């Protein structure tokens, strides 16, 4: 029988981090960030949080990553208070490239249909 605890914890972390980013983090660099996915290791020690950004500018993406790295401690502390886990997972923020890839594929399909 498969153990789905890591996925359930990942969903809970995603919901809580979205709430924390909206209500607790006051850094303007992280205002337009959307959490798209959370992957938690089997032992629940690390959580990789994938986020997307509305802007395609490299400077905005770099600022958003810096803002998330700066707020990592606050987010982890809030998660520790909200979740009933023995140990709060280590947080790793990574940009989700799938949104850009999907936009690129849509653009290629549009170009094919125009020809």
């Amino acid at each position: 029988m498969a153990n789905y605890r890591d996925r359930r914890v990942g969903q809970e972390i995603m919901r809580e981090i979205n709430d924390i980013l909206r209500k607790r983090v006051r850094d303007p660099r992280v205002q337009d960030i959307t959490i798209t996915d959370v992957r938690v290791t089997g032992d629940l020690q690390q959580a990789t949080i994938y986020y997307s950004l509305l802007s395609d500018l490299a400077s905005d993406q770099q600022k958003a990553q810096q803002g998330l790295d700066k707020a990592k401690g606050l987010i982890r502390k809030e998660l520790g208070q909200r979740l009933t886990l023995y140990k709060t997972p280590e947080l790793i923020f990574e940009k989700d490239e799938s949104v850009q890839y999907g936009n690129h594929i849509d653009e290629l399909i549009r170009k094919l249909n125009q020809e």
Side-chain angles (χ1 to χ4, degrees):
M1 179 180 221
N3 186 0
Y4 300 108
R5 184 162 190 230
D6 57 343
R7 284 179 246 156
R8 286 182 293 157
V9 169
Q11 289 293 322
E12 187 70 21
I13 288 174
M14 187 166 85
R15 187 165 48 94
E16 294 296 337
I17 287 180
N18 275 322
D19 188 54
I20 292 167
L21 285 175
R22 262 189 242 107
K23 295 179 181 174
R24 298 279 295 148
V25 179
R26 296 192 185 351
D27 193 343
R29 297 177 287 189
V30 300
Q31 294 303 316
D32 295 332
I33 289 177
T34 304
I35 304 299
T36 57
D37 193 21
V38 176
R39 301 277 169 95
V40 182
T41 58
D43 59 356
L44 307 178
Q45 296 294 311
Q46 288 184 333
T48 305
I49 295 116
Y50 295 95
Y51 67 93
S52 66
L53 197 59
L54 295 175
S55 173
D56 288 338
L57 298 175
S59 62
D60 289 344
Q61 293 173 4
Q62 185 178 13
K63 287 178 186 178
Q65 183 67 42
Q66 289 172 349
L68 286 171
D69 290 339
K70 183 125 176 131
K72 190 184 294 188
L74 171 71
I75 295 170
R76 188 169 183 212
K77 178 183 168 227
E78 285 287 323
L79 271 178
Q81 293 173 354
R82 294 178 183 202
L83 299 178
T84 56
L85 294 174
Y86 178 70
K87 184 177 178 187
T88 306
E90 178 75 26
L91 303 178
I92 301 166
F93 289 98
E94 290 186 14
K95 184 168 180 336
D96 190 2
E97 302 292 338
S98 65
V99 176
Q100 272 185 320
Y101 182 72
N103 289 339
H104 177 67
I105 296 296
D106 287 342
E107 186 65 31
L108 290 175
I109 291 172
R110 265 189 239 111
K111 285 181 182 179
L112 283 175
N113 287 335
Q114 288 176 353
E115 295 172 359

